[in-house]
Amino acid sequence: MAGQSGNARRPGRRTGDSGTRETILATALEMFAERGFAATSVRAIAKQAEVDPALVRHFFGTKQELFTTAVIDRSEIAGRLTEAFDGPAERIGERLVHTYFGMWENPDTGQVMRTLFRSAVSDEDLAPLFVRTMLANLQDRTSDTETSARLTRMPLIAPQILGVAVCRYVLRIPGIADAPLEDLVHRLAPQVQKELVG
Amino acid sequence: MAGQSGNARRPGRRTGDSGTRETILATALEMFAERGFAATSVRAIAKQAEVDPALVRHFFGTKQELFTTAVIDRSEIAGRLTEAFDGPAERIGERLVHTYFGMWENPDTGQVMRTLFRSAVSDEDLAPLFVRTMLANLQDRTSDTETSARLTRMPLIAPQILGVAVCRYVLRIPGIADAPLEDLVHRLAPQVQKELVG
């Protein structure tokens, strides 16, 4: 799925494969965000995008695969994570934690993060597929062997950063939801640094 | 809400306030677990329990309050957490982490943990209410001032232990879902110990 986001985007709808793909992905992400993953069918997305459901399945496969491609291709998440790995190795933990929480705090990307999390919770197969595909996408974006090795350790930091994000932004647990963001970043950055860089 | 679970349970249904309360709570927890929090109405629970919806609201208040009381009164969670705080202070972290993950691993309590988590994710007001009520319940169960002080710091360990539980049991993230449980416990216990006992 990596690389497909680089296709030239043509104006208008269904002027070619690329335009149709983009329309489907944009429609899918919007509908998943609005109605939730479980309540949104491939058929409903196809209808809204004015294409045949068979075409959606031909392009993107299962609903889980469509969701994964929509989030990775249509959001800034992969690009921003890639940027966090660039720069001095001794501050990767800090940059990554800043980037991750920045995406939750920002109104636009925060909406995608919530949609992603709620969808993954509602469907057992989605999270492992999403993690695998996102990591493959990030690997495709790097030619650096050290970054490549660090990317393989990304799932190991998931509990720490996702734990704080869920308690703060989704569950709104007192003491976490109202803590200064910088306090949480300062606690997490060294742990992430140690796990990814050593 | 604490203490009400200690009422004598009379045989049969609606033989008195206590029996009716128990029937409503059992029905509520079962329906929430089966259909999810959002899709289960107080009206549907009342119908299934063969009581008037007004009675359910009179006894338990909002749907969020009913859910909270049902989980706290009808599950072993509060009792087992209380036990984890008993015993030598230097091993509270280890006992608490063992107890917490033991509840996720056990088929019966694991089902309650999943229901609790999925429900809290689907409703913004539920998690803060549940945390507050559960902590008050645990406080009611202790007369020890040190345990009491430790309980107030419980929300601070939520990101760490919930982060691992969500990645392992709900999202099934590769590398966390298939890691030996003991490895995760060994990593978390010292952090929890430090946070609660210092």
Side-chain angles (χ1 to χ4, degrees), chain B residues 48-65:
Chain B
Q48 182 71 23
E50 297 176 20
V51 297
D52 195 279
L55 186 71
V56 178
R57 292 198 187 89
H58 169 72
F59 275 159
F60 301 106
T62 64
K63 186 165 82 163
Q64 286 81 1
E65 288 168 330

Side-chain angles (χ1 to χ4, degrees), chain A residues 118 121 127 171-172 187 195, chain B residues 118 121 127 171 187 195:
Chain A
R118 286 180 201 271
V121 165
L171 302 180
R172 297 172 197 270
R187 279 177 60 161
E195 201 72 70
Chain B
R118 286 180 202 272
V121 165
L171 302 181
R187 277 177 61 161
E195 201 73 68

